[in-house]
Amino acid sequence: MFDFLIDNPTDFSEAVQQLETTQVGSKVTFYNQFEDIKDFDFVVICVDESRGNHDNNTSIDFEHIKYAFYELQLGNWDISILDLGVIKPGNEISDTLYALRQVVNFALEHHTLPIILGGSQDILYSQYRAYDGVKYMINIANIDFKFDLGDSNATLNHESYLSHMVVNKPYNLFNYANIGYQTFYNTQEEIHLLDKMFFEAYRLGDIVNDIKIVEPVLRDADIAALDVRCIESQSVLQDEMQPNGFNNREICGLSRYAGLSDKVSSFGIYELQYLHSQTSKKLLGQILWYFVEGTQYRLKEIADFNNPNFIKYQVPVDNETLIFYESQVSRRWWIEIPSNLNNVNNKLKQHTLLPCDKENYLSACNQELPERWLKAKQKNEF
């Protein structure tokens, strides 16, 4: 069906098929064996494309990365995985990105969750564009040490894909949230611009102090993405990585939050050409394991005013009355976007309840307006 795919090497597929029935690999079917993509829960897509990163555009050792995942023991899961092999690089970068867009779009239309393993992070632009015609207004949560705003007038690359998402039609990007940025890698102009666009950014230090603050952000995301360079070098034993970053436990925790999100429908992990050590590849396998583990505990909870499991709280703050909802099932929280903002052409129409946490409620009780609510309100009024 997709003639731009390269099958996995025979020795690799045979090694996976010899794994025990208790291991993840026992749930894997390879591209040359499958009949219908909609028969699978997950599809693993490798993209051997790193030309968007001029500093490091080397090939990627996909087989060892995937094997590090496939050899792990299964959790209490009932899953099926289709391994599509590798999308070979096209004559131009745009050819590769177009191929990925086709595959991801096909998977989304058949309600199969794509896991994308790729090179330079401009591939995330293709992951985003795959939603065209599938869903209007997309939220992205990107675990990254940089914003990658770049110049929208320049050629798409791994440091400019966000600006291309913002300016290129169709305008489907509703919210972008950076998780784990480090101030000294981002200019003050970029930080102010992100705030001016009412996007969200969470500093590495704040998350390390309390990782739970980004759970609502990942809960509200359609796309979750990860630049592996946000992992500290000590955790992967590689000098090419950052001296500061998420440690191995924190990055696995964030991956699990992404999996737990009822909304996340694709997961991309990028800049894999930087992974050389066996430790880094094993960590990647565990990141994938925690993502899949999270999906198995999704509650499919409907965030709706009329949900009988929701408790409603009203909190007067200044001239506003904030309305919070707490689930008696999951103990998760949402905040209502004021109904007078929901006019006919409002982008917020499908975002009536915004995920938040209990701390937002407690802060409102202390007369502090939650920042996520303020950004959503300002975005609508802009």
Side-chain angles (χ1 to χ4, degrees):
M1 177 171 31
F2 301 118
D3 56 9
F4 42 75
L5 291 172
I6 303 174
D7 285 342
N8 289 284
T10 302
D11 57 347
F12 169 73
S13 57
E14 288 178 349
V16 173
Q17 289 169 337
Q18 290 173 8
L19 291 171
E20 300 294 332
T21 57
T22 60
Q23 293 173 286
V24 174
S26 66
K27 302 295 184 180
V28 174
T29 300
F30 291 99
Y31 175 53
N32 56 3
Q33 303 168 342
F34 89 106
E35 295 182 1
D36 199 332
I37 197 170
K38 67 175 181 290
D39 294 333
F40 296 89
D41 301 305
F42 303 92
V43 56
V44 176
I45 310 161
C46 298
V47 189
D48 193 12
E49 179 60 82
S50 301
R51 286 174 287 181
N53 181 344
H54 299 298
D55 296 328
N56 188 338
N57 56 10
T58 57
S59 295
I60 302 167
D61 185 5
F62 288 116
E63 283 73 45
H64 282 92
I65 290 172
K66 288 190 291 187
Y67 194 82
F69 172 45
Y70 294 159
E71 70 176 349
L72 297 176
Q73 297 296 319
L74 286 162
N76 186 22
W77 308 342
D78 181 17
I79 62 167
S80 56
I81 301 171
L82 173 64
D83 187 328
L84 280 183
V86 181
I87 294 179
K88 59 186 177 184
N91 292 329
E92 304 290 338
I93 298 176
S94 57
D95 298 328
T96 315
L97 298 185
Y98 177 76
L100 175 65
R101 177 178 172 179
Q102 278 192 294
V103 177
V104 175
N105 181 271
F106 189 80
L108 293 171
E109 287 183 338
H110 290 83
H111 308 290
T112 299
L113 196 157
I115 296 175
I116 305 156
L117 305 177
S120 52
Q121 203 175 6
D122 46 303
I123 297 171
L124 176 55
Y125 179 78
S126 185
Q127 181 182 354
Y128 158 68
R129 283 270 80 107
Y131 285 76
D132 293 350
V134 176
K135 185 175 182 183
Y136 179 64
M137 290 292 104
I138 302 301
N139 292 345
I140 298 176
N142 186 23
I143 306 168
D144 200 340
F145 69 104
K146 291 182 68 177
F147 298 148
D148 299 328
L149 269 166
D151 182 359
S152 62
N153 295 316
T155 303
L156 176 71
N157 61 61
H158 77 133
E159 292 186 333
S160 69
Y161 58 86
L162 178 54
S163 63
H164 284 260
M165 291 178 183
V166 172
V167 303
N168 291 346
K169 296 180 180 179
Y171 305 124
N172 286 346
L173 182 60
F174 179 76
N175 189 47
Y176 177 87
N178 173 282
I179 296 174
Y181 82 95
Q182 299 178 46
T183 307
F184 40 73
Y185 286 120
N186 299 274
T187 67
Q188 289 301 304
E189 289 77 12
E190 289 174 320
I191 294 171
H192 293 320
L193 180 56
L194 210 72
D195 188 61
K196 188 176 180 180
M197 291 188 291
F198 312 117
F199 289 159
E200 298 177 81
Y202 297 83
R203 292 183 63 175
L204 172 67
D206 293 332
I207 301 171
V208 170
N209 287 334
D210 183 8
I211 195 173
K212 296 190 298 298
I213 64 173
V214 293
E215 183 278 327
V217 181
L218 286 161
R219 194 187 340 148
D220 199 33
D222 300 286
I223 293 173
L226 165 64
D227 182 336
V228 297
R229 294 174 300 166
C230 74
I231 304 170
E232 65 177 7
S233 57
Q234 183 177 351
S235 290
V236 290
L237 303 179
Q238 288 191 189
D239 291 335
E240 299 96 327
M241 309 298 265
Q242 307 303 323
N244 286 301
F246 292 112
N247 66 28
N248 45 19
R249 294 178 182 84
E250 291 159 352
I251 202 66
C252 288
L254 292 172
S255 181
R256 191 173 193 274
Y257 275 147
L260 282 167
S261 168
D262 291 326
K263 283 186 63 178
V264 167
S265 51
S266 67
F267 184 36
I269 305 180
Y270 300 110
E271 303 292 355
L272 295 180
Q273 72 273 20
Y274 283 94
L275 301 189
H276 307 301
S277 69
Q278 286 302 110
T279 300
S280 66
K281 293 167 187 175
K282 288 184 177 181
L283 177 58
L284 221 294
Q286 292 177 20
I287 290 170
L288 292 169
W289 190 95
Y290 274 103
F291 176 76
V292 174
E293 166 83 350
T295 65
Q296 301 308 292
Y297 290 93
R298 290 183 175 184
L299 296 175
K300 298 181 174 59
E301 197 165 43
I302 300 173
D304 184 82
F305 305 117
N306 300 316
N307 190 322
N309 294 318
F310 280 13
I311 301 175
K312 180 178 178 179
Y313 303 87
Q314 298 188 57
V315 184
V317 182
D318 295 333
N319 297 323
E320 306 281 356
T321 299
L322 304 187
I323 302 176
F324 291 86
Y325 295 85
E326 180 191 11
S327 167
Q328 297 179 77
V329 175
S330 65
R331 297 303 175 190
R332 297 186 296 187
W333 289 74
W334 287 261
I335 185 171
E336 181 178 331
I337 297 172
S339 58
N340 62 350
L341 297 180
N342 292 330
N343 53 55
V344 174
N345 296 316
N346 191 340
K347 290 182 178 180
L348 285 177
K349 191 172 183 180
Q350 61 171 320
H351 296 263
T352 308
L353 290 184
L354 192 69
C356 64
D357 58 23
K358 187 174 182 178
E359 293 305 313
N360 294 137
Y361 166 72
L362 295 176
S363 295
C365 292
N366 290 324
Q367 299 300 290
E368 297 177 18
L369 290 171
E371 187 174 351
R372 293 205 78 215
W373 182 90
L374 274 174
K375 284 184 179 291
K377 181 176 185 291
Q378 290 169 335
K379 187 182 299 184
N380 185 68
E381 293 173 342
F382 180 69

